[in-house]
Amino acid sequence: KKSEHRRLQAIQGVTRIIKAIWPRADVKMYGSHVTKLCLPSSDMDFVISLPAVQKKAPAGAAGDLEGRNAIIETNQKLLSRKLKGESWLDQRSIKVIERTAVPVIKVSTKDTRSRAIQLDLSFDAKEHHGLEALTMIQHILDELPVIRPIVLVLKQFLLDRGLLIAYTGGMSSYCLFLMVARYCQEQSSSWLDCGS
């Protein structure tokens, strides 16, 4: 119950910060917490959808902040700067990882190491398929419920060996799910009838 309360506070805190910067933003969760394929130490994944903005016509002449003097700040850097002002987050944990298919901000809450909640914040883009994957994962889990315990055991096995972090050379949870799902789909129907 306490961990669920801490997670709810993290969700509310993240949403509050994002809405303070972009009031019309849509903040959604995806990943293992939504699909219930999470370990106690699993991070919470958020995707931020910003509303489309109409851009003004290009300027006729360069201004002071254009060209080589322009201040270029990505949404990730703007958000990470705002996160640094939050007392409930561990400032040392804030990492902006931009050189990936989907840039992400990694941050954790302030707490003991075992109780801190890891948060991954990303922005919706054409390369981001986290929300789309939720529907597929839920459909496969409904079809083959035996996948859940297999994935959870393998996630813990990989985590214990430091192999469950994709951007450091390990395997993503999503990749693990797809591998297990494909393996289970290939088995005979009698193999999947565990418990009857």
Side-chain angles (χ1 to χ4, degrees):
K1 292 231 176 196
K2 286 183 180 181
S3 65
E4 191 60 39
H5 179 69
R6 285 194 310 271
R7 284 192 180 100
L8 184 59
Q9 285 182 317
I11 293 167
Q12 291 170 344
V14 165
T15 303
R16 177 184 49 79
I17 295 165
I18 293 165
K19 294 282 191 177
I21 303 169
W22 301 286
R24 296 184 317 143
D26 192 18
V27 182
K28 293 183 180 173
M29 284 187 63
Y30 68 100
S32 61
H33 278 277
V34 178
T35 60
K36 305 293 187 229
L37 288 170
C38 59
L39 298 175
S41 61
S42 292
D43 58 15
M44 295 175 72
D45 300 297
F46 295 88
V47 62
I48 304 158
S49 300
L50 299 177
V53 292
Q54 293 181 355
K55 296 184 178 178
K56 295 180 184 177
D64 290 338
L65 294 178
E66 294 180 16
R68 64 189 172 118
N69 296 325
I71 298 172
I72 299 172
E73 185 173 44
T74 62
N75 288 333
Q76 289 83 5
K77 288 186 179 172
L78 173 61
L79 180 55
S80 69
R81 192 165 41 84
K82 295 292 185 184
L83 293 171
K84 288 179 183 172
E86 294 294 318
S87 61
W88 60 280
L89 295 173
D90 180 1
Q91 308 308 309
R92 297 168 296 159
S93 71
I94 299 173
K95 292 184 181 94
V96 179
I97 303 168
E98 292 185 294
R99 298 192 193 289
T100 59
V102 177
V104 66
I105 300 169
K106 297 183 99 41
V107 63
S108 63
T109 59
K110 273 188 184 173
D111 214 328
T112 62
R113 187 172 199 171
S114 63
R115 291 177 34 174
I117 300 170
Q118 309 300 317
L119 310 171
D120 284 1
L121 311 172
S122 57
F123 287 87
D124 199 9
K126 64 181 179 188
E127 301 86 14
H128 198 296
H129 301 288
L131 294 174
E132 297 166 8
L134 283 177
T135 306
M136 181 203 60
I137 291 169
Q138 199 54 56
H139 174 74
I140 292 172
L141 286 172
D142 290 344
E143 195 176 278
L144 298 166
V146 71
I147 291 174
R148 187 180 313 276
I150 296 170
V151 167
L152 289 171
V153 167
L154 289 174
K155 279 180 80 168
Q156 187 64 54
F157 178 84
L158 291 171
L159 178 68
D160 290 346
R161 286 150 184 81
L163 297 172
L164 196 59
I165 302 172
Y167 79 95
T168 60
M171 180 182 293
S172 71
S173 296
Y174 182 63
C175 179
L176 177 63
F177 173 82
L178 293 175
M179 288 173 50
V180 171
R182 186 66 187 140
Y183 177 79
C184 290
Q185 288 169 340
E186 290 292 317
Q187 303 310 306
S188 70
S189 58
S190 63
W191 181 80
L192 293 173
D193 190 18
C194 304
S196 58

Coordinates of all heavy atoms in Angstrom, one line a residue, residues 82-115:
K82 N 13.4 22.0 -15.4 CA 12.3 22.2 -14.4 C 12.3 21.1 -13.4 O 12.0 21.4 -12.2 CB 11.0 22.2 -15.2 CG 10.8 23.4 -16.1 CD 10.7 24.7 -15.4 CE 10.4 25.8 -16.4 NZ 10.4 27.1 -15.8
L83 N 12.7 19.9 -13.7 CA 12.7 18.8 -12.8 C 13.8 19.1 -11.7 O 13.6 18.7 -10.5 CB 13.0 17.5 -13.5 CG 12.0 17.0 -14.4 CD1 12.5 15.8 -15.2 CD2 10.7 16.6 -13.7
K84 N 14.8 19.8 -12.0 CA 15.9 20.1 -11.1 C 15.4 21.0 -9.9 O 16.0 21.0 -8.9 CB 17.1 20.8 -11.8 CG 17.8 19.8 -12.6 CD 19.0 20.4 -13.4 CE 19.7 19.3 -14.3 NZ 20.7 19.9 -15.1
G85 N 14.3 21.7 -10.1 CA 13.8 22.5 -9.1 C 12.8 21.8 -8.2 O 12.2 22.5 -7.3
E86 N 12.6 20.5 -8.3 CA 11.7 19.8 -7.5 C 12.4 19.1 -6.4 O 13.2 18.2 -6.6 CB 10.9 18.8 -8.4 CG 10.1 19.4 -9.5 CD 8.9 20.1 -8.9 OE1 8.3 19.6 -7.9 OE2 8.6 21.2 -9.4
S87 N 11.9 19.4 -5.1 CA 12.6 18.8 -4.0 C 12.3 17.3 -3.8 O 13.1 16.7 -3.1 CB 12.2 19.6 -2.7 OG 10.8 19.5 -2.6
W88 N 11.3 16.8 -4.3 CA 10.9 15.4 -4.2 C 11.7 14.5 -5.1 O 11.6 13.3 -5.0 CB 9.4 15.2 -4.3 CG 8.8 15.6 -5.6 CD1 8.5 16.8 -6.0 CD2 8.5 14.7 -6.7 NE1 8.0 16.8 -7.3 CE2 8.0 15.5 -7.7 CE3 8.6 13.3 -6.9 CZ2 7.5 15.0 -8.9 CZ3 8.2 12.8 -8.1 CH2 7.7 13.6 -9.1
L89 N 12.5 15.1 -6.0 CA 13.2 14.3 -7.0 C 14.7 14.3 -6.6 O 15.2 15.4 -6.1 CB 13.0 14.8 -8.4 CG 11.6 14.7 -9.0 CD1 11.5 15.4 -10.3 CD2 11.3 13.2 -9.1
D90 N 15.4 13.3 -6.9 CA 16.9 13.2 -6.6 C 17.6 13.9 -7.8 O 17.6 13.4 -8.9 CB 17.3 11.8 -6.5 CG 18.8 11.6 -6.3 OD1 19.5 12.6 -6.2 OD2 19.3 10.5 -6.2
Q91 N 18.1 15.1 -7.5 CA 18.7 15.9 -8.6 C 19.9 15.2 -9.3 O 20.1 15.4 -10.5 CB 19.2 17.3 -8.0 CG 18.1 18.0 -7.2 CD 16.8 18.2 -8.0 OE1 16.8 18.6 -9.1 NE2 15.7 17.8 -7.4
R92 N 20.6 14.4 -8.6 CA 21.8 13.7 -9.1 C 21.3 12.6 -10.1 O 22.1 12.2 -10.9 CB 22.6 13.1 -8.0 CG 23.2 14.2 -7.1 CD 23.8 13.6 -5.9 NE 22.7 12.9 -5.1 CZ 22.8 12.0 -4.2 NH1 24.0 11.5 -3.9 NH2 21.7 11.5 -3.6
S93 N 20.1 12.2 -10.0 CA 19.6 11.1 -10.9 C 19.1 11.6 -12.3 O 18.9 10.7 -13.1 CB 18.5 10.3 -10.2 OG 17.3 11.1 -10.2
I94 N 19.0 12.9 -12.5 CA 18.4 13.4 -13.7 C 19.4 13.2 -14.9 O 20.5 13.7 -14.8 CB 18.0 14.8 -13.6 CG1 16.9 15.0 -12.5 CG2 17.5 15.4 -14.9 CD1 16.6 16.4 -12.2
K95 N 19.0 12.4 -15.9 CA 19.8 12.2 -17.0 C 18.9 12.3 -18.3 O 17.9 11.8 -18.4 CB 20.3 10.7 -17.0 CG 21.4 10.4 -16.0 CD 21.9 9.0 -16.1 CE 22.9 8.7 -15.0 NZ 22.3 8.1 -13.8
V96 N 19.4 13.2 -19.2 CA 18.7 13.3 -20.5 C 19.5 12.5 -21.5 O 20.7 12.7 -21.7 CB 18.7 14.8 -20.9 CG1 18.1 14.9 -22.3 CG2 18.1 15.7 -19.9
I97 N 18.8 11.5 -22.0 CA 19.4 10.6 -23.0 C 18.8 10.9 -24.4 O 17.7 10.5 -24.6 CB 19.2 9.1 -22.6 CG1 19.8 8.9 -21.2 CG2 19.8 8.2 -23.6 CD1 19.4 7.6 -20.6
E98 N 19.6 11.6 -25.2 CA 19.0 12.1 -26.4 C 19.5 11.3 -27.6 O 18.8 11.4 -28.7 CB 19.4 13.6 -26.6 CG 18.7 14.5 -25.7 CD 19.0 16.0 -25.9 OE1 20.2 16.4 -25.8 OE2 18.1 16.7 -26.3
R99 N 20.5 10.5 -27.5 CA 21.0 9.8 -28.7 C 20.4 8.4 -28.8 O 21.2 7.4 -28.8 CB 22.5 9.8 -28.6 CG 23.2 11.1 -28.7 CD 24.7 11.0 -28.9 NE 25.4 12.2 -28.7 CZ 25.4 13.3 -29.5 NH1 24.5 13.3 -30.5 NH2 26.1 14.4 -29.2
T100 N 19.1 8.4 -28.7 CA 18.4 7.1 -28.9 C 17.2 7.3 -29.8 O 16.9 8.4 -30.2 CB 17.8 6.6 -27.5 OG1 16.9 7.6 -27.0 CG2 18.9 6.4 -26.5
A101 N 16.6 6.2 -30.3 CA 15.5 6.3 -31.2 C 14.4 7.2 -30.6 O 13.8 8.1 -31.3 CB 14.9 5.0 -31.5
V102 N 14.1 7.1 -29.3 CA 13.2 7.9 -28.6 C 13.9 8.5 -27.4 O 14.2 7.8 -26.4 CB 12.0 7.1 -28.1 CG1 11.0 8.0 -27.3 CG2 11.2 6.4 -29.2
P103 N 14.2 9.8 -27.5 CA 14.9 10.5 -26.4 C 14.1 10.4 -25.1 O 12.9 10.4 -25.1 CB 15.0 11.9 -26.8 CG 14.9 11.9 -28.3 CD 14.0 10.8 -28.6
V104 N 14.8 10.2 -24.0 CA 14.2 10.0 -22.7 C 14.9 10.8 -21.6 O 16.1 11.0 -21.6 CB 14.1 8.5 -22.4 CG1 15.5 7.9 -22.1 CG2 13.2 8.2 -21.2
I105 N 14.1 11.2 -20.6 CA 14.7 11.8 -19.4 C 14.5 10.7 -18.3 O 13.4 10.2 -18.0 CB 13.9 13.0 -18.9 CG1 14.0 14.1 -20.0 CG2 14.5 13.6 -17.6 CD1 13.1 15.3 -19.8
K106 N 15.6 10.3 -17.6 CA 15.5 9.4 -16.5 C 15.8 10.1 -15.2 O 16.7 10.9 -15.1 CB 16.6 8.3 -16.7 CG 16.4 7.5 -18.0 CD 17.4 6.4 -18.1 CE 17.0 5.0 -17.6 NZ 15.7 4.5 -18.0
V107 N 14.9 9.9 -14.3 CA 15.0 10.6 -13.0 C 14.4 9.6 -11.9 O 13.6 8.8 -12.2 CB 14.3 11.9 -13.0 CG1 12.8 11.8 -13.3 CG2 14.5 12.8 -11.8
S108 N 14.8 9.8 -10.7 CA 14.2 9.0 -9.6 C 13.8 9.9 -8.4 O 14.3 11.0 -8.3 CB 15.2 7.9 -9.1 OG 16.3 8.5 -8.5
T109 N 12.9 9.4 -7.7 CA 12.4 10.1 -6.5 C 13.4 10.0 -5.4 O 14.3 9.2 -5.4 CB 11.0 9.6 -6.0 OG1 11.2 8.2 -5.7 CG2 10.0 9.7 -7.1
K110 N 13.3 11.0 -4.5 CA 14.2 11.0 -3.3 C 13.7 9.9 -2.3 O 12.5 10.0 -1.9 CB 14.2 12.3 -2.6 CG 15.2 13.3 -3.2 CD 15.3 14.5 -2.3 CE 16.2 15.5 -2.9 NZ 16.2 16.8 -2.1
D111 N 14.5 9.0 -2.0 CA 14.1 8.0 -1.0 C 15.3 7.0 -0.8 O 16.3 7.2 -1.5 CB 12.9 7.2 -1.5 CG 12.0 6.7 -0.3 OD1 12.5 6.5 0.8 OD2 10.8 6.6 -0.6
T112 N 15.1 6.0 0.0 CA 16.2 5.1 0.1 C 16.4 4.4 -1.2 O 15.4 4.3 -2.0 CB 15.9 4.0 1.2 OG1 14.7 3.3 0.9 CG2 15.8 4.7 2.6
R113 N 17.5 3.8 -1.5 CA 17.7 3.2 -2.8 C 16.7 2.2 -3.2 O 16.2 2.1 -4.3 CB 19.1 2.6 -2.8 CG 19.5 2.2 -4.2 CD 21.0 1.8 -4.2 NE 21.4 1.8 -5.6 CZ 22.6 1.6 -6.0 NH1 23.5 1.5 -5.1 NH2 22.9 1.6 -7.3
S114 N 16.3 1.4 -2.2 CA 15.3 0.3 -2.5 C 13.9 0.8 -2.7 O 13.1 0.2 -3.3 CB 15.4 -0.8 -1.4 OG 15.0 -0.2 -0.2
R115 N 13.6 2.0 -2.2 CA 12.3 2.6 -2.2 C 12.1 3.7 -3.3 O 11.0 4.1 -3.5 CB 11.9 3.1 -0.9 CG 11.7 2.0 0.1 CD 11.3 2.4 1.5 NE 10.5 3.6 1.5 CZ 10.0 4.2 2.6 NH1 10.2 3.6 3.7 NH2 9.3 5.3 2.5

